[in-house]
Amino acid sequence: MNKDLLMWEETLFRDPNLFELDHIPEYFGHRKSQMETLMYCVRPAMRGGRPLNILCIGPPGTGKTTAVNKLFTEIEKITSKVIPVYVNCQANPTRFNVFSRIYKKLFDITPPSSGASFKKIYDHITQELADNEQILIVALDDINYLFHEKEDEKVLYSLLRAHETNPGARIGVLSIRSDTGDDFHFDPKIESVYLPEEIIFPRYNADEIRDILKNRINLGFYPDVVSPDILNKVVEYTTIPGDLRVGIDLLKRSALNAERKSRRKISIEDVDGAYTTSRLVHLTYILKSLRVEEKILLGLVSNHTEINSGELYKFFHRKSGLGYTRFYETLEKLSALKLIDTKFTGKGIRGRSRIITLRYGANEIKKRLRNI
Ligand SMILES: Nc1ncnc2c1ncn2[C@@H]1O[C@H](COP(=O)(O)OP(=O)(O)OP(=O)(O)O)[C@@H](O)[C@H]1O
Ligand SMILES: [Mg+2]
């Protein structure tokens, strides 16, 4: 028997959960100053005051969600007077959704989605906080998704002005924004009430990526599955987008490739093969979050090398039955998510005709849209 070969019931994974992207790691290195600032901002709440508002910003895969999860776990261990509520705005993109999450956390039941007026839910929440002298910290993760739905102003206003309608209600807002290179500012009206402490999450450098991945490898794989050369290759690939998710996904897929060939060690070919999929983990994540009409529009764009907006609208309307306003909003959102480019041609009515192109390979998009 060749002992270099893996038996069919054997595996390279000591703990496969460590390579899942929603896993909260025990070891959270290179984010000490960010964690300290987070703690500093919530400290007033621990003494019964209003916490400082926070805005965490950084490119994808730089530990923002993980940091807030860790902070919230700590708070819950220490006190029941401060209630942290985590809201994923991608899954909850409206004010009603956000307040339903808060309601669920406070009362342990979801308010009925029809029938209950927002005002009723809102009053119930603020009254409960005042009566129990509890302080709420609401994390709005991926707040970008509230901008797309134009719900951000309403959500922030309602949260930040709660104490005006109900003086006993104290709420802090911690928003998390994935910085995809766009030049974004909150509306000046919001800025005057929000004024958050900004916490920057920069991209990890190669040494930091190596250290973090090494820790995962030691805990998640059996010994010697990943040689130093292989680790270097994975680090090299991960620094290209600078998104740690790529590295974690790459380790998982490389190991699965090696297992498929019954080998006990990951080879360079396993990593190269895995990279074609792993480099686009973020794309897959974004596509999964799209609404039906957004997927339809993206699918239509991916059928053409380029298409003008008038023609695209005709196709879109035929397939979805939706009108021009929704078409325009959907186009804007796909552009904000950096899935498509839109360029004015100077032609058409008042030069408003636009040429739409895809920012990814058409096959990459089509394959993913089929599978989600
Ligand atoms: N310092 C770190 N130590 C260990 N693991 C980390 C660290 N930073 C990030 N990770 C891991 O990398 C992955 C991505 O991190 P996270 O989800 O926190 O990124 P993010 O900044 O919220 O990204 P996005 O803007 O795309 O939401 C997670 O699986 C997380 O476990
Ligand atoms: Mg995140």
Side-chain angles (χ1 to χ4, degrees):
M1 194 169 56
N2 185 344
K3 64 179 180 12
D4 286 339
L5 285 184
L6 203 63
M7 307 290 283
W8 73 269
E9 78 283 11
E10 286 183 307
T11 170
L12 304 182
F13 293 91
R14 197 202 296 263
D15 183 353
N17 286 325
L18 264 66
F19 301 97
E20 293 307 321
L21 296 173
D22 55 3
H23 167 78
I24 302 292
E26 193 81 30
Y27 173 67
F28 188 49
H30 313 286
R31 286 293 178 240
K32 193 157 170 263
S33 79
Q34 286 81 357
M35 287 308 292
E36 279 170 3
T37 313
L38 283 169
M39 308 264 194
Y40 161 80
C41 292
V42 302
R43 192 159 298 143
M46 301 299 202
R47 295 190 295 259
R50 211 149 80 99
L52 298 176
N53 294 315
I54 307 168
L55 171 62
C56 296
I57 312 183
T62 51
K64 300 180 295 298
T65 300
T66 310
V68 171
N69 262 305
K70 290 217 161 254
L71 173 76
F72 280 9
T73 311
E74 280 308 302
I75 293 174
E76 286 189 324
K77 265 195 239 158
I78 299 171
T79 175
S80 56
K81 281 288 174 197
V82 181
I83 306 181
V85 183
Y86 173 85
V87 182
N88 175 345
C89 298
Q90 195 180 28
N92 300 283
T94 67
R95 181 172 71 167
F96 192 86
N97 293 153
V98 171
F99 279 84
S100 294
R101 303 299 312 168
I102 299 172
Y103 193 93
K104 170 92 180 29
K105 178 83 180 209
L106 287 179
F107 303 108
D108 221 15
I109 50 164
T110 313
S113 54
S114 61
S117 74
F118 171 74
K119 171 120 183 32
K120 226 165 158 183
I121 293 176
Y122 183 70
D123 288 345
H124 203 165
I125 289 172
T126 53
Q127 196 57 48
E128 177 80 0
L129 294 174
D131 289 349
N132 298 336
E133 296 183 354
Q134 283 172 320
I135 297 155
L136 196 65
I137 300 184
V138 181
L140 301 171
D141 196 0
D142 275 332
I143 191 172
N144 311 48
Y145 284 88
L146 294 183
F147 309 151
H148 301 319
E149 302 299 325
K150 303 196 173 49
E151 291 279 316
D152 53 312
E153 269 184 45
K154 278 196 273 174
V155 171
L156 290 172
Y157 251 72
S158 306
L159 290 170
L160 296 165
R161 308 191 115 179
H163 63 283
E164 290 175 11
T165 39
N166 194 330
R170 270 158 297 171
I171 302 180
V173 175
L174 189 173
S175 47
I176 305 176
R177 187 162 80 78
S178 210
D179 177 7
T180 44
D182 52 350
D183 175 31
F184 172 80
H185 293 286
F186 283 108
D187 189 280
K189 272 196 304 216
I190 295 293
E191 270 178 347
S192 68
V193 278
Y194 187 28
L195 291 173
E197 291 284 318
E198 283 194 8
I199 308 183
I200 310 284
F201 286 70
R203 280 183 206 286
Y204 296 111
N205 65 33
D207 288 338
E208 290 168 341
I209 292 174
R210 181 176 293 105
D211 176 61
I212 293 167
L213 292 181
K214 217 169 167 174
N215 188 273
R216 286 285 162 117
I217 290 168
N218 289 342
L219 296 172
F221 290 136
Y222 286 107
D224 303 324
V225 169
V226 182
S227 70
D229 281 352
I230 294 294
L231 177 58
N232 281 338
K233 188 80 199 165
V234 173
V235 171
E236 198 182 298
Y237 273 139
T238 311
T239 44
I240 300 172
D243 178 343
L244 208 54
R245 277 195 205 97
V246 172
I248 294 168
D249 197 63
L250 203 47
L251 287 173
K252 171 176 149 181
R253 287 180 199 279
S254 305
L256 290 174
N257 285 347
E259 278 191 350
R260 191 177 312 155
K261 293 173 214 145
S262 305
R263 282 193 272 91
R264 290 182 183 280
K265 287 178 193 297
I266 294 173
S267 71
I268 291 284
E269 293 74 47
D270 295 329
V271 183
D272 288 340
Y275 185 63
T276 53
T277 308
S278 297
R279 74 189 176 90
L280 295 175
V281 275
H282 198 65
L283 175 63
T284 310
Y285 173 76
I286 293 174
L287 295 188
K288 274 191 189 149
S289 78
L290 297 182
R291 292 159 171 249
V292 178
E293 68 268 24
E294 291 158 359
K295 288 181 191 156
I296 289 177
L297 188 59
L298 190 64
L300 290 171
V301 177
S302 71
N303 287 337
H304 303 83
T305 2
E306 57 171 52
I307 179 163
N308 81 42
S309 48
E311 205 180 337
L312 183 60
Y313 171 63
K314 273 189 224 147
F315 285 127
F316 178 72
H317 178 67
R318 207 175 299 154
K319 199 153 181 186
S320 67
L322 295 167
Y324 193 78
T325 310
R326 196 62 206 151
F327 166 72
Y328 183 77
E329 285 167 0
T330 309
L331 204 61
E332 289 295 301
K333 178 164 171 192
L334 295 182
S335 169
L337 290 172
K338 296 201 171 347
L339 294 168
I340 58 169
D341 268 328
T342 68
K343 280 196 199 78
F344 286 107
T345 57
K347 297 187 193 129
I349 306 161
R350 275 168 288 161
R352 305 307 281 166
S353 176
R354 294 198 279 183
I355 291 287
I356 321 295
T357 49
L358 211 55
R359 293 185 64 147
Y360 290 87
N363 287 337
E364 313 272 20
I365 297 280
K366 284 185 189 162
K367 195 169 71 193
R368 282 172 180 76
L369 285 177
R370 263 200 307 275
N371 294 335
I372 54 178

